[in-house]
Amino acid sequence: MARLIWLRVAILAGTTGCTSHPPMVRPDDRAEPPVSTTFCAVQADPAAFAHRRVFFRAEVMSDGIHRTIITDPACSGGMGIDDNSAEKAMDALNDAVLSGIPGTIDKTLQARLTATIERPRGRTTLVVEAVDDIVVTPKDVR
């Protein structure tokens, strides 16, 4: 479709079509590979990772209804997940969060995440593009 439109524009503009059409490049083709780091490194200096793709293992905490955050017991604090995260990645994470009792009260959930660090209004969030190696460990809640 794009080539047909380009050809029509070339004909209307009076060119012969001998000019080359630039190749279409998807944004993913130009993306830098994610930086391997730790959640604690990102948490300690989020500005250093702003707008960068990162790859790390972390713990997921959720109430199973409204809020899910990414954290690590080795450091304080947590980060929210941005609404623009990839649906497929979030489906895998949500399936784990909702298994058993919804939320993480009855389980510890760890996963490997690939995400872009965003800092809207100075608040650090994760735009998650991939979640894998999800490990769910039951807790004794008796």
Side-chain angles (χ1 to χ4, degrees), residues 58-71:
E59 192 167 309
V60 179
M61 296 180 72
S62 177
D63 64 4
I65 302 170
H66 300 108
R67 187 97 169 125
T68 299
I69 63 167
I70 307 302
T71 187

Side-chain angles (χ1 to χ4, degrees), residues 65-122:
I65 302 170
H66 300 108
R67 187 97 169 125
T68 299
I69 63 167
I70 307 302
T71 187
D72 189 321
C75 54
S76 63
M79 289 183 201
I81 297 172
D82 193 278
D83 291 338
N84 293 320
S85 294
E87 188 174 337
K88 186 175 180 180
M90 294 312 299
D91 284 348
L93 197 56
N94 288 333
D95 286 348
V97 166
L98 297 175
S99 66
I101 298 172
T104 54
I105 196 164
D106 69 330
K107 60 190 150 288
T108 300
L109 202 156
Q110 293 184 335
R112 212 169 29 201
L113 294 97
T114 303
T116 301
I117 307 302
E118 295 296 336
R119 294 189 38 89
R121 297 176 302 281

Side-chain angles (χ1 to χ4, degrees), residues 11-92:
I11 291 170
L12 291 173
T15 61
T16 62
C18 293
T19 58
S20 64
H21 182 63
M24 296 181 80
V25 179
R26 296 182 316 203
D28 293 345
D29 293 340
R30 295 178 296 200
E32 292 182 28
V35 175
S36 180
T37 188
T38 64
F39 174 82
C40 293
V42 174
Q43 182 72 3
D45 190 7
F49 293 95
H51 310 295
R52 295 182 68 192
R53 293 176 69 220
V54 295
F55 177 75
F56 57 80
R57 182 160 198 78
E59 192 167 309
V60 179
M61 296 180 72
S62 177
D63 64 4
I65 302 170
H66 300 108
R67 187 97 169 125
T68 299
I69 63 167
I70 307 302
T71 187
D72 189 321
C75 54
S76 63
M79 289 183 201
I81 297 172
D82 193 278
D83 291 338
N84 293 320
S85 294
E87 188 174 337
K88 186 175 180 180
M90 294 312 299
D91 284 348

